[in-house]
Amino acid sequence: QVQLVESGGGLVQPGGSLRVSCAASGTISSINTMGWYRQAPGKQRELVALITSGGSTNYADSVKGRFTISRDNDKNAIYLQMNSLKPEDTAVYYCRSWQGGSAYWGQGTQVTVSS
């Protein structure tokens, strides 16, 4: 069993920045791909960014050039630095981890971009 806890969400004005974190705990059998997803009200959950065990990254087109995903393997944590935030970035941001043949979700952290 793996537990994922997100933190760092909040309210920010358009054009601002925010950094969210995800810490994994429990039974960590190996260092695998982790990622960030988000879900806006009335919308389906969508992939935002992925990072492999070796640090290779992939981003949704909507956030390329604005968001940066990173990880700290010693802490079993991933991060998402969000810059130049737009109102359409408003969503609950979820951490995702693949471990022991299973996939896990965090509880989510709310990010609201509004003036």
Side-chain angles (χ1 to χ4, degrees):
Q1 179 68 29
V2 174
Q3 295 80 44
L4 304 172
V5 179
E6 300 100 331
S7 62
L11 175 65
V12 64
Q13 292 188 331
S17 297
L18 205 62
R19 183 177 185 260
V20 292
S21 303
C22 172
S25 62
T27 304
I28 309 298
S29 60
S30 63
I31 301 173
N32 296 322
T33 296
M34 297 180 70
W36 287 98
Y37 293 71
R38 68 186 181 187
Q39 187 166 21
K43 302 292 182 64
Q44 294 185 359
R45 191 169 299 185
E46 64 177 351
L47 174 67
V48 176
L50 294 173
I51 185 165
T52 69
S53 60
S56 180
T57 60
N58 289 283
Y59 299 92
D61 288 341
S62 60
V63 307
K64 285 181 179 177
R66 300 189 298 120
F67 290 10
T68 302
I69 187 172
S70 60
R71 71 188 302 159
D72 184 338
N73 289 337
D74 289 338
K75 296 181 178 180
N76 293 318
I78 62 169
Y79 310 90
L80 187 68
Q81 178 67 47
M82 301 178 285
N83 299 326
S84 302
L85 283 162
K86 305 174 180 179
E88 51 261 45
D89 294 319
T90 295
V92 177
Y93 283 71
Y94 296 92
C95 183
R96 182 77 157 166
S97 177
W98 288 263
Q99 277 289 325
S102 299
Y104 302 88
W105 291 108
Q107 84 289 344
T109 186
Q110 177 71 49
V111 173
T112 302
V113 184
S114 176
S115 59

